[in-house]
Amino acid sequence: MTKLPENLTIGQVAERSGVPHTALRFYEDRGLIASHRTSGNQRRYPRSVLRRLAFIRTAQRVGLSLEDVHAALATLPDGRTPTKADWSRLSQSWQEELDARIDALHRLRDRLTSCIGCGCLSLRSCFLHNFDDAQSADGPGAPKLKAATEGGT
Amino acid sequence: MTKLPENLTIGQVAERSGVPHTALRFYEDRGLIASHRTSGNQRRYPRSVLRRLAFIRTAQRVGLSLEDVHAALATLPDGRTPTKADWSRLSQSWQEELDARIDALHRLRDRLTSCIGCGCLSLRSCFLHNFDDAQSADGPGAPKLKAATEGGT
DNA sequence: ATCCAACCTCGACCAAGGTGGAGGTCAAGA
DNA sequence: TCTTGACCTCCACCTTGGTCGAGGTTGGAT
């Protein structure tokens, strides 16, 4: 088990994180990660970049944009331990968004599931025929698709 | 309450669905929706396209690609009532994917939440410092980021 | 019959999130 | 010292999911 140096090369980071080196430079351009340079202009990363990368990739997997991630990471200090206030800021700004996404996913999944079980093939209660309320759940301000049901089932 | 004609123009569909007419043509190119044409080559849509659009937009909101949606819709018959087998196919192909996404979201949210409450600012248990297991949850075949913790907390 | 908003196609362009190659430099082992 | 793989920058290109405008046609109301 070789001891990891504090300064990782881009190749080491790529290998250990599973993130291609091209993407690492791309993230650096976008300000998501940072490196310092050797006298010969090569990038060197602190080990903590691996944590950042894990965070970035996880956030991406759940559908957040790099800009979202950037905004969140920007609220966290780079050089010091995050304070409770730092976390609170990051968490609260995402909580609502994450909850909404979880909700939307549940609704979509449950609809598919219940449709299988409901014997609704009569077209009367089948989800594709009553799908519109997925929209109206967005609030009273967006009932556009409600109109589509006027003609009846 | 004006009775909706069976054949909607692209403008009517755009207005009622909230989907821009440019996107409607785009979706048609991609095979997600279909229309027939008047003798003058203008598109006419059946009302059912509104349901399809609601489905498409909802699936997109939860992060599925248009290709995913296309694949799913392709399994549903256009002209006839979907059978239980039709639904079963669509549902089962998505169930796993949706569950995985819900899971990933839960993990991300719960991490943020617990971090706020846990007083972990010592860097010992804070999620950014133990984030790696979000990756190892992918299975035993992908422990890449585990290596990063060698240097120890 | 005429008018004009709404429609048509096609191709350029946009943003996000990258990949790949050309041409040149660095650094560590033989 | 020399070699060679890893690194550097810059730029062109890719896919997804669209938007926009030019230039031309339709169709419903007057």
Side-chain angles (χ1 to χ4, degrees):
Chain A
M1 207 168 276
T2 51
K3 181 142 171 33
L4 260 186
E6 178 56 43
N7 288 314
L8 301 164
T9 67
I10 193 170
Q12 290 171 322
V13 172
E15 197 198 345
R16 287 176 179 281
S17 68
V19 178
H21 62 96
T22 52
L24 293 175
R25 295 204 188 88
F26 182 76
Y27 291 164
E28 196 172 319
D29 276 0
R30 290 286 195 283
L32 294 170
I33 58 177
S35 63
H36 60 274
R37 302 299 180 108
T38 63
S39 58
N41 198 34
Q42 296 197 355
R43 289 174 179 82
R44 290 297 180 268
Y45 296 93
R47 269 173 300 160
S48 67
V49 82
L50 295 170
R51 252 92 69 164
R52 263 178 115 90
L53 287 170
F55 180 74
I56 291 165
R57 293 301 229 191
T58 300
Q60 270 195 299
R61 262 213 309 275
V62 303
L64 299 173
S65 70
L66 291 184
E67 206 183 318
D68 290 338
V69 177
H70 179 245
L73 289 178
T75 72
L76 294 182
D78 224 26
R80 64 172 173 81
T81 304
T83 66
K84 192 154 185 161
D86 293 325
W87 279 116
S88 197
R89 233 179 298 118
L90 199 168
S91 176
Q92 294 201 348
S93 68
W94 278 16
Q95 201 80 17
E96 215 174 307
E97 175 66 22
L98 294 181
D99 282 347
R101 280 169 192 265
I102 288 170
D103 244 48
L105 273 167
H106 272 306
R107 268 186 283 125
L108 184 56
R109 187 191 59 179
D110 292 350
R111 259 172 199 289
L112 285 170
T113 305
S114 69
C115 205
I116 291 293
C118 74
C120 67
L121 301 173
S122 67
L123 293 195
R124 237 182 311 270
S125 56
C126 175
F127 106 104
L128 258 194
H129 287 78
N130 291 288
F131 203 76
D132 322 310
D133 57 358
Q135 299 293 327
S136 57
D138 288 349
K144 301 199 168 192
L145 279 154
K146 285 305 246 189
T149 59
E150 282 168 18
T153 55
Chain B
M1 209 169 277
T2 49
K3 180 137 172 37
L4 261 186
E6 179 56 42
N7 288 314
L8 301 164
T9 66
I10 193 170
Q12 290 171 321
V13 173
E15 196 198 345
R16 286 176 180 279
S17 67
V19 178
H21 62 96
T22 54
L24 294 175
R25 295 202 190 90
F26 181 76
Y27 291 164
E28 196 171 318
D29 275 0
R30 289 287 194 281
L32 294 170
I33 58 176
S35 65
H36 59 272
R37 303 297 181 109
T38 63
S39 59
N41 199 34
Q42 297 198 354
R43 288 175 179 81
R44 289 297 180 271
Y45 296 93
R47 268 172 301 157
S48 66
V49 81
L50 295 171
R51 251 94 66 164
R52 263 179 116 87
L53 287 170
F55 180 73
I56 292 166
R57 293 302 227 190
T58 300
Q60 271 195 298
R61 262 212 309 274
V62 303
L64 299 173
S65 71
L66 291 183
E67 206 184 319
D68 290 338
V69 177
H70 178 246
L73 288 178
T75 73
L76 293 181
D78 224 28
R80 65 173 172 80
T81 304
T83 66
K84 193 155 186 163
D86 292 326
W87 278 116
S88 198
R89 232 180 299 117
L90 198 167
S91 176
Q92 294 201 349
S93 67
W94 278 16
Q95 202 79 14
E96 214 173 309
E97 174 67 21
L98 295 180
D99 283 346
R101 280 169 190 267
I102 288 170
D103 244 47
L105 274 167
H106 271 305
R107 269 187 282 124
L108 184 57
R109 188 192 58 180
D110 292 349
R111 260 171 197 291
L112 284 170
T113 305
S114 68
C115 203
I116 292 293
C118 74
C120 67
L121 302 172
S122 69
L123 291 196
R124 238 186 308 271
S125 56
C126 176
F127 106 101
L128 259 194
H129 287 77
N130 291 288
F131 203 75
D132 322 308
D133 58 356
Q135 298 294 327
S136 57
D138 287 350
K144 302 199 169 192
L145 279 154
K146 284 306 245 189
T149 59
E150 281 168 19
T153 51

